[in-house]
Amino acid sequence: MAGGCFGLCRLLQRKRKNRRGPGAGPAQEVEEEVQHFQPLQQDPGRDRPEEQDRARGRLRRAVQRLLKFVGVRRRTATTAPPELTAQPDTSAAELEAEADVSTAPRDCADSGDMEPMDCAASGDMAPIDGTATSDRAVTSGTETTYMSATDCAASCDVARVDGTDTSDTSQVEGTETSDTSPIEGTETSDMAPMDGTATCDTVLADTETSSDRAPTDVGAKADAATEGITNTDCMPMHSVTDAPSLDVLEQKTVSSANEVPASVSPIHQWLTCQESAEVRPPVAIRRLAHVHPGHVVMTLLHCAPACDRAAAILWRTIASSATTAYKVLPMLLGVMEDWPLHSVSTSDGDHVDVFALAATLALWLMVQEPQCQDALLVHAPRLLVALLCQVSMSTEQMPEEVSTFWRGCQEQHGLPTHPNSFVVQTIQALLWRLQWDQELVSVERKRGWDALLSADTHHYAVGLLAREMRRVLVPSYGPLARHLLGLLSREGPRWELPALAFLVEVLDYLDVSTCHDSVLQILARHLQSQCPERRRLALRGLLVLSVDPSMAKGICSLSEHLLELLCDGDGELVTMTLSLFRNVLQDGENSDGFSSTTSRLAEALRPVFDNDNSHVQLLSIRLFREVMDLLAEEGTEPWEMQVRQSLVPLFFRWHDENQCVAQAAWEALLWATSFLQRKDLEQLLKTEQPFRFCDCLMEKDMSQRGEHLHQALPYLQSPQEPLREAAVRFMGVAGWHMREQQQDLWPILKALTAMSDDDCPSVSNMRAALMATYSRAMRTPPAPLRRPMSLQQPRNSPGTTSQRSCSSS
């Protein structure tokens, strides 16, 4: 059949040449075509004889068989345009500019003057609306156009003027062009609506329609073919139906970072349009995120901060690649560490603010993908710190804009009402994904997760979590400590308390030789803070560093601030300060930095002997002895007064109920008497005669009697019964040695009167006897007083040194 068709084409070509004449050249042919190209005024089919109509019908059927033989494939229009009414062209210039004019098929069916074959050929617009136009639609829609719109229009006019022969030639030429177009053009038929108003379906409808079909059937078929064609010139640029397909989006290449937003946003838009729950995830986002991780992260957080369904698919698609997730996680961390907003400039020049919680929400979605486990493991320390800091900040500081943003996220994803609970859930999900179940359960057992949600206990929970993570995170604690120093070095009080709490737990893994000055500067700043928790954490950090000899000199430079802390009412704070001083003084080489404050330290330690905390008492007594040993190396004379003033407080601590404190006081007294070269006092201490020691002290130190008495008076109000009894006896001894000056007895009598009734009978009896004795002495002239019974050895005197249960350090 194909051979017959080609023979027919050659016959028509010979007729055409004979009509033009033997001497007609190409230029003449073009001139004739232009001359016959006139505006359409009337239907040329009216004057066409019946023989011409039958010839046109046979030719049309031949063309249809030929098209069906070469196998033109059907394509379905992807868009639905409004109906367009074709207007006849008035000039060749307009036809050349408007090459894709279409004619509604119903014009054929409605024309009563046309015969069936005319209707099939589209009446007065036959060459435009018929086979030639259909063929042009095929070639235009497949981006392989072999016949231009101008040539087709010219052929159509030749057909109108010359009748059957020219029309047949035009259609044959159109058929030859269309034979090759479907072969190369079937891949990109989605672009057909942009190039014309007819699609391949118009041609396919003609090829599949029998020549015996009524004219009304042809018109109905043409209407069905054009119903789904969209006039893209009238559609908005961001219309859903105008969005490119996923294949086109994934084949698009990005040559620079500036093109990332223009590529990511259409992918997000395409996903938003998909209603299917099992939509295929676009792998192009992984390729973009791998090459431009920062720009992809910021574009997604900017266009979908609340992580809608489309954004959630994209985040999980990114997380499904371990290498891509490894590059994306640091970008999310940068946003998470800026509370409450992270300001950034996108690659297309926009300055945007992104919520830190938006990055946390994206992380929560990524953690749910098992493929990103290795990437999470690498960044786990920093992720953990950032999340812990977010818990603290969201508990204490919740700006209105953050609250509004979170309400939208909570409604969309069904998340907890308060963001700090969601961040804690994200931490738990992170530990679960990393298979750290043991640590997860351990923190739960110690009520750590609940403590994280309270502002008063948050820092404790952070330290607890850091300690529990030692087993799995020890290799990462060195870099993590440096990262925490970087966070704490930023301007402004962001993250300070939780970051400082975590730093203290990992500080012993820090190589201080690389950051000696910065760590001391940070800890010194927090040491002077008005917040007691920050002061306590700073002291803990210094205590960790004090075991390193290279840090001793730097810590000595903070001695002025440390001395102030000895007067703090917080026993734990004073305990750490005393331990810090002891660690630095253990090495004589490191003590040179304390030379300017050693005497002040010895003086500041005496009031600490009477601290309510027994551990503080013990540490202060031991530190006092170590300081005095250090001072004794420089000579005894400058420090003799410091040692004399410590004798009475140490004497009373010798009677303390805590045997460790009593033992330490006895050892310090023994050292002090040796330092003062008082052999008599030293011998009384060794023989365990405390009140003979007191009598000898008041007898020999006449110039110090008033000061000794002043130091002993507060112990009359001591909560410990042994100390109250020792104080009453001391008042008796002091009164005996000060009897010649009655005015010196007034303080003793006043202090005894101010004492409340004691539950201990012995103390009450001694107090009453002394008050009666001193009252008579004040009313009568001075006379020798009878030696008070308080000089006798008491029943509850301290035992021998060998009997004590606590040994000195």
Side-chain angles (χ1 to χ4, degrees), residues 75-95:
R75 301 287 294 187
T76 303
T78 58
T79 54
E83 278 188 29
L84 298 180
T85 303
Q87 299 294 336
D89 294 339
T90 57
S91 66
E94 290 181 3
L95 254 174

Side-chain angles (χ1 to χ4, degrees), residues 43-278:
D43 184 5
R46 293 180 179 179
D47 301 328
R48 193 160 46 229
E50 185 176 354
E51 291 78 9
Q52 293 183 2
D53 290 339
R54 284 196 296 271
R56 288 177 55 84
R58 287 192 297 273
L59 179 61
R60 176 178 173 79
R61 286 192 295 273
V63 171
Q64 290 175 350
R65 294 191 190 96
L66 178 62
L67 291 177
K68 189 172 183 179
F69 175 79
V70 298
V72 178
R73 288 183 288 178
R74 293 185 63 87
R75 301 287 294 187
T76 303
T78 58
T79 54
E83 278 188 29
L84 298 180
T85 303
Q87 299 294 336
D89 294 339
T90 57
S91 66
E94 290 181 3
L95 254 174
E96 190 170 358
E98 301 282 337
D100 55 348
V101 176
S102 64
T103 304
R106 62 176 175 269
D107 294 339
C108 302
D110 294 340
S111 178
D113 299 332
M114 302 179 189
E115 295 181 9
M117 297 290 42
D118 294 330
C119 185
S122 298
D124 65 332
M125 298 291 290
I128 298 177
D129 294 335
T131 307
T133 304
S134 300
D135 293 338
R136 188 175 71 253
V138 173
T139 56
S140 300
T142 56
E143 298 182 354
T144 317
T145 306
Y146 293 93
M147 178 178 179
S148 64
T150 306
D151 295 338
C152 183
S155 300
C156 294
D157 284 335
V158 172
R160 296 188 193 102
V161 177
D162 293 340
T164 305
D165 294 340
T166 307
S167 174
D168 293 343
T169 305
S170 172
Q171 294 188 27
V172 170
E173 291 175 355
T175 304
E176 291 174 353
T177 304
S178 64
D179 287 343
T180 58
S181 60
I183 298 175
E184 299 181 3
T186 54
E187 295 182 358
T188 56
S189 61
D190 291 338
M191 301 299 295
M194 298 298 296
D195 299 328
T197 57
T199 63
C200 299
D201 289 340
T202 308
V203 178
L204 294 174
D206 293 337
T207 59
E208 295 176 358
T209 304
S210 172
S211 59
D212 299 333
R213 185 170 296 179
T216 55
D217 296 337
V218 177
K221 189 68 178 180
D223 289 338
T226 56
E227 255 183 2
I229 304 174
T230 302
N231 183 2
T232 55
D233 294 336
C234 302
M235 293 292 290
M237 292 300 295
H238 300 288
S239 173
V240 172
T241 59
D242 200 29
S245 66
L246 181 60
D247 294 336
V248 174
L249 293 174
E250 292 187 346
Q251 292 174 5
K252 184 177 181 180
T253 59
V254 177
S255 58
S256 64
N258 295 333
E259 301 176 5
V260 171
S263 300
V264 174
S265 297
I267 295 177
H268 176 264
Q269 180 185 3
W270 180 86
L271 280 173
T272 305
C273 303
Q274 306 304 309
E275 299 180 357
S276 174
E278 299 181 356

Side-chain angles (χ1 to χ4, degrees), residues 582 618 621-626 628-629 643 646-647 650-651 653-654 659-675 682 685-686 688 801-802 804-809:
R582 292 194 68 196
L618 179 62
I621 292 172
R622 290 176 176 175
L623 179 60
F624 178 79
R625 178 184 171 184
E626 294 170 1
M628 296 314 297
D629 275 337
V643 177
S646 65
L647 292 177
L650 290 174
F651 169 79
R653 284 301 148 195
W654 184 18
Q659 291 301 309
C660 293
V661 175
Q663 176 69 19
W666 180 84
E667 293 175 354
L669 272 176
L670 192 61
W671 176 90
T673 55
S674 175
F675 179 84
E682 185 177 354
L685 286 171
K686 291 179 179 180
E688 299 288 343
T801 306
S802 61
R804 301 188 186 278
S805 59
C806 184
S807 60
S808 62
S809 163

Side-chain angles (χ1 to χ4, degrees), residues 474-769:
V474 163
S476 305
Y477 270 4
L480 179 60
R482 291 192 296 271
H483 170 67
L484 289 169
L485 287 177
L487 285 180
L488 293 169
S489 300
R490 296 181 181 180
E491 298 181 358
R494 295 178 299 180
W495 318 102
E496 288 188 342
L497 190 57
L500 191 61
F502 207 108
L503 175 65
V504 170
E505 301 296 337
V506 301
L507 203 53
D508 49 346
Y509 298 95
L510 178 66
D511 183 9
V512 294
S513 61
T514 60
C515 50
H516 178 278
D517 296 334
S518 61
V519 66
L520 278 179
Q521 182 181 1
I522 291 172
L523 295 179
R525 184 177 76 247
H526 291 283
L527 191 65
Q528 306 172 49
S529 173
Q530 298 299 319
C531 175
E533 297 301 335
R534 292 184 183 179
R535 291 201 303 268
R536 183 178 292 107
L537 290 171
L539 266 178
R540 285 188 58 194
L542 290 173
L543 194 58
V544 172
L545 296 177
S546 63
V547 299
D548 188 346
S550 63
M551 297 296 296
K553 185 176 180 180
I555 295 176
C556 290
S557 63
L558 304 175
S559 58
E560 294 294 334
H561 302 298
L562 295 173
L563 286 175
E564 297 176 0
L565 296 178
L566 291 176
C567 303
D568 198 282
D570 188 344
E572 183 182 0
L573 203 65
V574 178
T575 299
M576 288 189 293
T577 305
L578 294 171
S579 301
L580 179 61
F581 276 120
R582 292 194 68 196
N583 289 347
V584 175
L585 291 175
Q586 282 180 355
D587 191 350
E589 297 179 359
N590 297 330
S591 61
D592 296 340
F594 275 127
S595 57
S596 59
T597 58
T598 306
S599 59
R600 293 182 56 195
L601 175 60
E603 184 179 356
L605 286 173
R606 289 198 305 271
V608 187
F609 295 166
D610 301 322
N611 193 281
D612 295 337
N613 190 315
S614 60
H615 189 55
V616 172
Q617 297 169 0
L618 179 62
L619 289 177
S620 61
I621 292 172
R622 290 176 176 175
L623 179 60
F624 178 79
R625 178 184 171 184
E626 294 170 1
V627 171
M628 296 314 297
D629 275 337
L630 182 64
L631 293 174
E633 297 177 0
E634 302 178 7
T636 60
E637 186 176 354
W639 319 115
E640 184 175 344
M641 183 58 65
Q642 296 279 3
V643 177
R644 288 185 184 277
Q645 293 175 350
S646 65
L647 292 177
V648 172
L650 290 174
F651 169 79
F652 282 101
R653 284 301 148 195
W654 184 18
H655 296 79
D656 198 279
E657 293 176 340
N658 188 302
Q659 291 301 309
C660 293
V661 175
Q663 176 69 19
W666 180 84
E667 293 175 354
L669 272 176
L670 192 61
W671 176 90
T673 55
S674 175
F675 179 84
L676 295 173
Q677 300 180 359
R678 292 288 301 269
K679 299 297 183 181
D680 52 346
L681 296 177
E682 185 177 354
Q683 185 63 29
L684 292 172
L685 286 171
K686 291 179 179 180
T687 57
E688 299 288 343
Q689 301 181 55
F691 291 100
R692 289 299 302 270
F693 175 89
C694 180
D695 185 31
C696 184
L697 179 64
M698 295 296 289
E699 182 181 2
K700 298 291 183 67
D701 291 345
M702 298 180 61
S703 62
Q704 300 294 322
R705 286 175 181 174
E707 185 174 354
H708 291 336
L709 177 63
H710 179 72
Q711 289 179 318
L713 289 176
Y715 293 97
L716 291 171
Q717 307 293 336
S718 175
Q720 297 187 28
E721 179 184 332
L723 268 66
R724 293 196 305 271
E725 182 178 351
V728 172
R729 292 179 182 275
F730 191 93
M731 294 301 108
V733 174
W736 169 260
H737 291 286
M738 301 172 69
R739 64 188 183 277
E740 296 181 358
Q741 297 178 352
Q742 294 183 357
Q743 68 274 13
D744 293 337
L745 298 177
W746 274 111
I748 299 175
L749 182 60
K750 184 178 180 181
L752 291 173
T753 305
M755 284 184 65
S756 58
D757 294 336
D758 203 294
D759 296 336
C760 180
S762 60
V763 176
S764 298
N765 294 337
M766 284 189 295
R767 170 176 169 266

Side-chain angles (χ1 to χ4, degrees), residues 306 361 403-417:
L361 187 56
S403 300
T404 303
F405 164 74
W406 185 250
R407 281 194 294 270
C409 297
Q410 191 267 336
E411 295 173 358
Q412 185 169 350
H413 298 279
L415 301 175
T417 304

